[in-house]
Amino acid sequence: MWPFRWELDGQVSREVWQKAGAAGLLGVCTSEEDGGVGGDILTSSIVWDEQGYAGVNGVGWALHSDIVMPYIAHYGTKEQKEKFLPAMTAGNKIGAIAMTEPGAGSDLQGIRTNAKKEGSGWVLNGSKVFITNGTMCDVCIVVAITNPEAKSAAHGISLFLVEAGMEGFKKGKKLKKLGLKAQDTAELFFEDVKLPASALLGEANKGFMYLMTELPQERLIVAGVGTSASEWMFEITRDYVIQRKAFGRTISSLQTVQHKLAEMKSEICMMRAFYDQCLLQHQHGKLDNYSVSMVKYLASDLQNKIADQCLQLHGGWGYMWEYPIARAFVDARVQPIYAGCNEIMKELIARPIVSAK
C-alpha cells in the first residue's frame, strides 16, 4: 500500500531517501573524490531504468543525483562540494533546482527572480514554481538575474545555493498535480533572502552558460525514463491481455490485439536503440543538442502513445486508479512538457536543418 500512502502525502519519506543513499542509489555518477559513489552516467542510467521498470515515480532521485549534484560537482568550490555532496549521496540532504517561474518556463531568459549585490553578499527576491523536491529540499540551486543591464538576459544570470531555513526562504504548499502524485512539487518564495558570497555557484553572470551545458543531460534523463516506462507499460499490458478473457478466450488470441502489441513492441525497440546510442555518445562527451532534442521529444511522445494504447487494452479496468496503467497514463503526460517542452525541442531540431550551410 506504500504507493497510495505516498500519493496521499504528496511525497515520499526521508527514510526512503536515506535508505537509497545507504544502498548506493544516490550520487552514482559523482566522483568518490567529491563524495559520490564514483560511477559513470551509464551506471547512473541503471537507476533511472529500474525506477521506470518498477513504475515508481514518486522519488526525485534522478533530479537530485544527475541534475542538481553535477552542477555542484562541476562549478562548486571545494567548500561547497564538501558541504553538500557527501550528505546528498547519503540521502541526508535533498537537492532541488529552481528555474521555472509563473511567467517563465521553457524561456529561461524570461525569469524575474533577482539577486542584488549587498556588501560581499547578495539579496535574493522572487518566486519559483513546479519545483521537484521543493518541499523536502535542504539545498536548492536558484536561477536569478544578477545583471539586469547586461546586453542580453543570458549574460546576466547567476546560480545560487539556497539552504532550507534561511530567513526569507519560504516553501509554499505542495502542488496538486494531474500525475506524479507521490512526487514532492512546490512553489518557492524568496523575500529579501540574504546570501553570503559563498552561496554563489560558479562565477557571477555565467549561470545561463552553465544551464545550457547541463540541460542536455536533463533531457537525456527524460528520454531514459520515458523509454523504460514504455517498456514497463508494454510488459504489464502483455501480462494482462494474456490472462484476460472475453468471448470465451483470452484477448491476446484476437488478431487486432496481437497486431497492436506488435506495433508497440517495434516502436519501443527502435526507441531503445536510439536512446542507448545517445547515452553512449553522452558517456564519451559527444552528444549534441540536435540529437538530445530528438531523443527527448521522441521518447516522451512515445511514452504517452504507449500509455494511451496500453490503457485501452486494459478496457474499463485501465481507468481504475488501483491499476498501475492508470497511474502510468497520467504520470506520462508531463514528460513532453518539462526539461524544455517538445515544441522547443522541435525548434532546436529544425534550426540546423534549415540553416544555410
Side-chain angles (χ1 to χ4, degrees), residues 66-109:
D66 302 308
I67 297 174
V68 177
M69 290 181 70
Y71 277 96
I72 301 173
H74 295 160
Y75 311 114
T77 62
K78 183 175 182 291
E79 291 74 20
Q80 287 170 336
K81 292 177 184 180
E82 290 176 348
K83 182 176 183 179
F84 296 111
L85 294 180
M88 293 174 78
T89 299
N92 294 325
K93 285 185 184 292
I94 298 172
I97 184 165
M99 301 186 207
T100 303
E101 298 184 2
S106 294
D107 179 18
L108 287 174
Q109 296 188 59

Side-chain angles (χ1 to χ4, degrees), residues 27 29-31 33-36 63-89 93-98 137-142 159-163 198-203 207 210-211 213-214 217:
C29 66
T30 298
S31 70
E33 181 184 358
D34 286 337
L63 179 131
H64 168 93
S65 297
D66 302 308
I67 297 174
V68 177
M69 290 181 70
Y71 277 96
I72 301 173
H74 295 160
Y75 311 114
T77 62
K78 183 175 182 291
E79 291 74 20
Q80 287 170 336
K81 292 177 184 180
E82 290 176 348
K83 182 176 183 179
F84 296 111
L85 294 180
M88 293 174 78
T89 299
K93 285 185 184 292
I94 298 172
I97 184 165
C137 72
D138 300 289
V139 59
C140 182
I141 298 173
V142 179
L159 307 182
F160 293 92
L161 293 167
V162 181
E163 297 179 66
S198 59
L200 179 67
L201 182 60
E203 296 181 43
Y210 301 151
L211 292 168
T213 301
E214 301 299 325
Q217 180 157 305

Side-chain angles (χ1 to χ4, degrees), residues 11 14 16 78 145 191 233-234 244 269:
Q11 65 182 56
R14 281 194 172 266
V16 170
K78 183 175 182 291
I145 296 289
E191 300 176 6
M233 288 186 287
F234 177 85
R244 173 67 170 164
C269 284

Side-chain angles (χ1 to χ4, degrees), residues 4 62 98 133 138 142 161 204 225 292 296 354:
F4 298 100
N133 298 340
D138 300 289
V142 179
L161 293 167
V225 170
V292 80
K296 188 269 179 184
V354 300

Side-chain angles (χ1 to χ4, degrees), residues 212 214-223 271 274-275 278-279 281-282 286-300 339-340 342 345 348-349:
M212 292 302 102
E214 301 299 325
L215 270 172
Q217 180 157 305
E218 181 175 352
R219 289 166 181 162
L220 185 65
I221 292 168
V222 172
M271 191 66 251
F274 183 35
Y275 164 70
C278 289
L279 185 62
Q281 288 176 334
H282 187 52
K286 295 180 179 179
L287 182 62
D288 56 79
N289 283 324
Y290 185 67
S291 296
V292 80
S293 298
M294 285 193 285
V295 77
K296 188 269 179 184
Y297 146 58
L298 289 170
S300 57
N342 281 4
M345 296 302 100
L348 296 174
I349 295 164

Side-chain angles (χ1 to χ4, degrees), residues 301-336:
D301 260 24
L302 180 62
Q303 181 183 356
N304 278 270
K305 180 180 179 180
I306 297 298
D308 180 68
Q309 293 177 349
C310 287
L311 189 150
Q312 184 71 18
L313 288 174
H314 277 74
W317 292 112
Y319 202 63
M320 298 297 105
W321 192 247
E322 64 264 30
Y323 273 67
I325 194 61
R327 295 200 293 277
F329 179 84
V330 293
D331 288 349
R333 190 57 190 87
V334 75
Q335 289 276 89

